[in-house]
Amino acid sequence: MDSWPVAERARTIESVGRKKQKFAVRGFPEVDVGAGGPNVVTLVERDGRFEWTSLLKNDSQVNRLRPSKTTTIFPATRPPPDLPVKSTILQSAERGENFIRTYLPDVDVPAELIRDELSQDAKITEGFKRFNPYMGNLLHPIVVHEQAFLAFPMGELNSDLNISPFHDSGDEIIFKPSAHPIRTFDTPIQQIVTTVPGTQTAYLAVRTFGETSFIGVDATRSTPYLSEVAALSHQDTGGRAVVDVVLSETPFSSLVVNDFGSVYRCSIADGDQIVDLIHPAAEAKGEVQQISFWRLARGTEGTNYLLASEHSLSQIDTRTNESIELFSLTGTGVVTSVENQGADNIVKLCNTNQLVWIDARFARRPLLAYKHGRQHDRYLEARTSPSLSSVTLITSRSNSMVTLYDVSRTEGQPIHINAPSYCFFSSDDASVSYTGSTLFRHPLHENTDAFSLIQLTERGSLYKVDLSVSEDGADTFGVSWNADVKEFERKPLHVFEPPYAEQAFVETDMSTAYDHIFCLHEQERKQREDENADAVYDLLEALPTFWQGLDVPIEHVLTTYDAVLRAGDEPTQTSRADFLTEGVINSTRGYRALKQGRLSPNVLVKGSSWHQNLTATLQRLDPTFPDDARSGAEAFKRYDLAENPDRSVQSLRYEKEAREQLTLDLALSADIFSSQPFSRASNEGPALEDLTKTLSLASEPPAVDFGYLQPKAISRYGREETDESEASMGVRSLLKDWQIGTDPEEYVFVDYYDRRASTPQTTQRTNPIQAVEIPLGMQLQRPPTILAASAVPPRPPELGRRIVAQSQPDLGGLPTRAYGFGSQNALSSQLQTQSSQEYMMSTQVLPGVHGGRPTVPKVMKKRVGGF
């Protein structure tokens, strides 16, 4: 075999499993003409001499096929697809569970089982939207002698088989479609296959969801007569669904493959149907096989057939029931179609990346791989032109794009690319989807260089595009519709309408409702404002004495609007919240009173125990909030409608009143009040002992008073709970100078232990306190001098007392006692021994007997005596 020189090397091929195996695959040329790939040249012998030849001829004399305009030869018989129901799996499961409970109350089906089944079904349905391996070609011509028919499904359910004939009128071929099906199946049709044109007897295979029927076609009559020859069910194919069918020549025989890859042969012997398994699936051989894509094609001599999977091509011999792998696809591509083997032994294999020409006699070394450059599409299918054997067309169910490749091989020469590939669109709508396509040329047509591309859309209509070498090529055949077919085009197809779409069209005059909203409502509102004028004035007079009129104190805070609403009569409208209840103050007179200052929060501040303005907080939430809510009417003008000279005076008045009412609502909600103070007065009375402690220099800090937040005593270690918790001495000392309401940022902490500070210091300290060392063996002669209260700041609280002994023993080099408060520097010169016991202030702050001071070691008595 003459071939192009390529590099020979072993290639690592990924198998279906996880393991990678290395095969000695012979190289073959891979061409990407559109991307400017390298050309291939070699020496060939011609007339006894060698000359150079190129893979890409690029001959300008090569005739290109020119498409004609698209023509509709059969109208649509199915309505547009229904819109998908937008519902979640959980909603669908709830509906299914409700159906079971309603109509099958005795059946107990767990909700989890329903959800799992629906989830699995949704996953499978989503996968079928990308690629459905069970859907085959639904359009196929039937050619017997010089008669031709088109077989295709029709009807709303796609289960009616239509066989329409071609008639020869002498001048031209005319297609006369029939409006009535010749046979109706129980389930939708999935594939239609016929025998090779030119055979003496025509057979038709129709694969549906339920079974595969083999039908004999008698074309001697004006209307074809159908007779069923055989039928295959799922039980005949191992309980699995059939994915592809191929028919052989006379005598009748067919091969089918199921979705597991098992190939069965169906034949007729002595009037009985015989089904044999000639190629078991990979799973039956002990291997795990999850591939559902399988396609069959005819080989040579009626005994060899081709079986294509996603990544390989095998040849099956029906005489020995043996299979041989011819080609294995490498890379990320997936096989999409395989064409019947031609008379030149060339098989065309199409995948998602390339179109491959393979010589079945030397399948290990393909002749050529041409990159088509089309988007990843698993519906790509390659077909050879019936008039020009060198032209191959690639079509797809997903769109109307058709790509043409002119590749041929002459005797004694390697394969050549005659011209770069080119394409066209078979429909004005490039995104239209098809369910079937075929290349057809009537046997009586005189022009052998022309043929037709016929495609079946999802709605059941047939489109035709004529392809011819000549620029002014005539139509390959004409079309004639009878009255019934024309009625299909005129009659609108029934479209399924969900229940909500069955609502009747009703036209209602809404002018009365608009008048009630914009006219009567405004008139009634104005009338109510005039009737409630006296109530507004009475409310403004009673507002200053609002707090005095309360019989029971209100436990929660109130806004200005809450107080105004409670100061008047009970409103006629009730709501869950006061700010949603409309009162007499929501009127023009209320806004006028706000502008006059009669609704100022100062009116309520005098009688309230606590007040807070929320303007700063509201400005943090909305920076556009005005500083003075009463002036918001001017600030809110930026929300007015665009100026229009056609606006009515009533519209402008509505806009002005709405702006004023918004200002009134915001102004009455900018302040909050409380009738109760936040701090609770101490329950302790001014006892004489407390007065004495207050006047004493050694007074203790007062108890801590709690307001709304009260401490709760918790029993631990078996102790009894007490109603009140007394704060510790340290906490009371820190809080005794704190005044409720003081700004924490302006508070100045006074450090009484800083001997250098003559004025109150801030909380930040720069140097530690310098202690005064007392020499050992010396004692204070008298207590520290007490200065006037106006001279020095008050002393810290007396936390404890200590007794100074009459004599101090030598501490043996231990650290000396340090004093760090008051005016200790003035006392250092007056230190002397003291014979009497006196009391002095203690600065012990740590718990324990010694307060963290080093203890004096105990003097051990010596043992007197002997043994």
Side-chain angles (χ1 to χ4, degrees), residues 697 750 752 755 757-760 785-795 822-823:
L697 294 176
V750 179
Y752 298 107
R755 58 182 178 84
S758 59
T759 58
T785 305
I786 300 177
L787 304 179
S790 59
V792 294
R795 294 178 301 174
S823 56

Side-chain angles (χ1 to χ4, degrees), residues 315-615:
Q315 186 180 47
I316 301 176
D317 191 347
T318 57
R319 296 168 297 183
T320 60
N321 295 343
E322 295 181 355
S323 62
I324 302 173
E325 184 178 295
L326 300 180
F327 176 76
S328 181
L329 185 65
T330 61
T332 59
V334 178
V335 176
T336 59
S337 70
V338 57
E339 195 181 23
N340 297 329
Q341 183 177 344
D344 55 356
N345 297 316
I346 292 181
V347 178
K348 298 172 184 178
L349 185 71
C350 183
N351 58 66
T352 54
N353 298 327
Q354 302 167 333
L355 177 59
V356 184
W357 282 261
I358 302 175
D359 192 330
R361 299 169 298 178
F362 309 98
R364 284 289 181 182
R365 185 172 184 176
L367 301 176
L368 176 66
Y370 203 126
K371 292 186 178 181
H372 51 68
R374 299 188 59 162
Q375 188 178 10
H376 182 86
D377 187 358
R378 299 197 63 179
Y379 288 116
L380 295 177
E381 188 171 1
R383 294 182 175 89
T384 301
S385 166
S387 58
L388 300 176
S389 59
S390 62
V391 178
T392 304
L393 292 84
I394 293 182
T395 60
S396 173
R397 290 183 52 190
S398 304
N399 50 63
S400 60
M401 183 178 180
V402 181
T403 313
L404 295 90
Y405 302 87
D406 194 344
V407 178
S408 62
R409 183 180 64 172
T410 58
E411 185 68 25
Q413 297 289 331
I415 194 168
H416 285 87
I417 300 176
N418 301 321
S421 62
Y422 54 99
C423 66
F424 69 92
F425 291 93
S426 60
S427 175
D428 297 335
D429 185 5
S431 62
V432 65
S433 299
Y434 300 96
T435 58
S437 60
T438 184
L439 302 179
F440 173 74
R441 186 176 66 87
H442 198 277
L444 299 179
H445 195 268
E446 297 179 355
N447 188 1
T448 58
D449 294 337
F451 62 95
S452 299
L453 169 63
I454 306 175
Q455 293 178 302
L456 176 67
T457 65
E458 289 185 343
R459 297 190 57 189
S461 59
L462 291 175
Y463 292 157
K464 180 197 73 165
V465 176
D466 295 331
L467 297 172
S468 177
V469 176
S470 61
E471 297 181 359
D472 54 349
D475 293 340
T476 55
F477 61 87
V479 180
S480 176
W481 289 357
N482 56 24
D484 295 336
V485 176
K486 293 179 180 179
E487 186 66 20
F488 276 132
E489 189 178 24
R490 291 193 301 265
K491 182 179 63 176
L493 298 176
H494 171 70
V495 179
F496 173 75
E497 296 181 351
Y500 61 81
E502 298 177 358
Q503 301 175 1
F505 174 75
V506 179
E507 184 177 356
T508 305
D509 185 8
M510 301 296 294
S511 59
T512 305
Y514 282 105
D515 291 341
H516 179 77
I517 296 174
F518 296 102
C519 297
L520 298 179
H521 175 71
E522 289 297 324
Q523 294 176 4
E524 294 175 358
R525 187 178 64 84
K526 286 293 184 183
Q527 184 179 359
R528 287 196 303 268
E529 287 188 8
D530 296 338
E531 294 175 356
N532 297 329
D534 296 337
V536 175
Y537 300 142
D538 295 340
L539 186 147
L540 295 175
E541 294 179 359
L543 185 61
T545 60
F546 168 73
W547 302 109
Q548 290 79 0
L550 294 178
D551 298 334
V552 180
I554 301 175
E555 297 181 355
H556 54 83
V557 296
L558 301 176
T559 62
T560 308
Y561 183 79
D562 296 333
V564 172
L565 186 65
R566 293 169 182 259
D569 298 334
E570 188 70 20
T572 56
Q573 300 179 3
T574 58
S575 180
R576 297 181 179 179
D578 291 345
F579 68 90
L580 297 177
T581 304
E582 184 178 358
V584 295
I585 201 64
N586 299 107
S587 61
T588 305
R589 291 178 176 83
Y591 176 74
R592 192 181 303 121
L594 176 68
K595 297 295 291 183
Q596 296 173 358
R598 304 186 64 180
L599 290 178
S600 174
N602 297 329
V603 179
L604 298 172
V605 169
K606 298 178 182 179
S608 64
S609 299
W610 180 83
H611 163 256
Q612 181 68 30
N613 184 268
L614 302 178
T615 301

Side-chain angles (χ1 to χ4, degrees), residues 151-322:
F152 58 93
M154 62 176 294
E156 185 175 355
L157 300 179
N158 213 29
S159 58
D160 301 329
L161 178 62
N162 188 321
I163 298 180
S164 299
F166 290 88
H167 292 278
D168 183 10
S169 64
D171 297 335
E172 62 176 346
I173 307 298
I174 299 177
F175 176 64
K176 295 183 177 180
S178 173
H180 305 284
I182 195 172
R183 183 172 179 178
T184 300
F185 295 89
D186 296 332
T187 55
I189 299 174
Q190 290 186 306
Q191 186 183 13
I192 297 177
V193 181
T194 61
T195 53
V196 180
T199 55
Q200 299 296 327
T201 306
Y203 291 98
L204 180 69
V206 179
R207 178 168 60 88
T208 65
F209 280 94
E211 63 180 6
T212 303
S213 301
F214 300 96
I215 303 171
V217 181
D218 185 1
T220 59
R221 307 178 184 180
S222 58
T223 301
Y225 176 75
L226 306 182
S227 59
E228 186 168 344
V229 176
L232 288 179
S233 62
H234 290 179
Q235 287 74 16
D236 298 327
T237 56
R240 304 299 305 179
V242 176
V243 294
D244 198 14
V245 182
V246 65
L247 294 176
S248 64
E249 301 177 359
T250 307
F252 168 77
S253 178
S254 67
L255 262 66
V256 298
V257 58
N258 60 14
D259 53 2
F260 265 13
S262 300
V263 180
Y264 295 83
R265 178 176 54 190
C266 178
S267 58
I268 303 297
D270 298 332
D272 296 333
Q273 175 180 324
I274 300 175
V275 180
D276 299 326
L277 175 64
I278 62 175
H279 178 74
E283 184 180 7
K285 300 176 183 179
E287 301 177 6
V288 178
Q289 187 63 267
Q290 299 294 337
I291 302 175
S292 59
F293 174 82
W294 301 95
R295 292 294 182 266
L296 288 171
R298 285 187 293 268
T300 58
E301 301 176 359
T303 56
N304 295 330
Y305 291 86
L306 302 175
L307 175 63
S309 64
E310 288 186 349
H311 298 91
S312 64
L313 177 65
S314 303
Q315 186 180 47
I316 301 176
D317 191 347
T318 57
R319 296 168 297 183
T320 60
N321 295 343
E322 295 181 355

Side-chain angles (χ1 to χ4, degrees), residues 678-813:
F678 279 88
S679 60
R680 184 167 59 95
S682 178
N683 297 327
E684 298 179 2
L688 179 60
E689 182 179 357
D690 296 338
L691 294 176
T692 304
K693 291 182 178 180
T694 302
L695 296 177
S696 175
L697 294 176
S699 61
E700 295 184 358
V704 179
D705 294 332
F706 296 93
Y708 277 78
L709 301 178
Q710 297 291 332
K712 181 180 179 181
I714 301 177
S715 176
R716 290 189 178 93
Y717 310 111
R719 298 178 182 177
E720 296 182 358
E721 296 185 4
T722 58
D723 296 338
E724 298 182 359
S725 296
E726 182 179 358
S728 63
M729 179 68 69
V731 174
R732 287 185 292 166
S733 300
L734 292 175
L735 298 179
K736 73 171 185 176
D737 295 332
W738 174 260
Q739 298 296 331
I740 297 178
T742 305
D743 189 358
E745 296 182 357
E746 298 179 357
Y747 176 73
V748 178
F749 173 71
V750 179
D751 187 1
Y752 298 107
Y753 293 92
D754 192 352
R755 58 182 178 84
R756 299 171 300 172
S758 59
T759 58
Q761 301 293 327
T762 59
T763 56
Q764 184 178 2
R765 297 182 181 180
T766 57
N767 296 322
I769 300 175
Q770 299 294 334
V772 179
E773 297 184 358
I774 303 178
L776 295 178
M778 299 185 64
Q779 297 177 344
L780 293 175
Q781 183 178 2
R782 56 184 179 87
T785 305
I786 300 177
L787 304 179
S790 59
V792 294
R795 294 178 301 174
E798 183 179 314
L799 302 179
R801 298 176 181 271
R802 71 179 182 87
I803 301 176
V804 182
Q806 184 173 2
S807 59
Q808 269 188 331
D810 187 6
L811 299 181

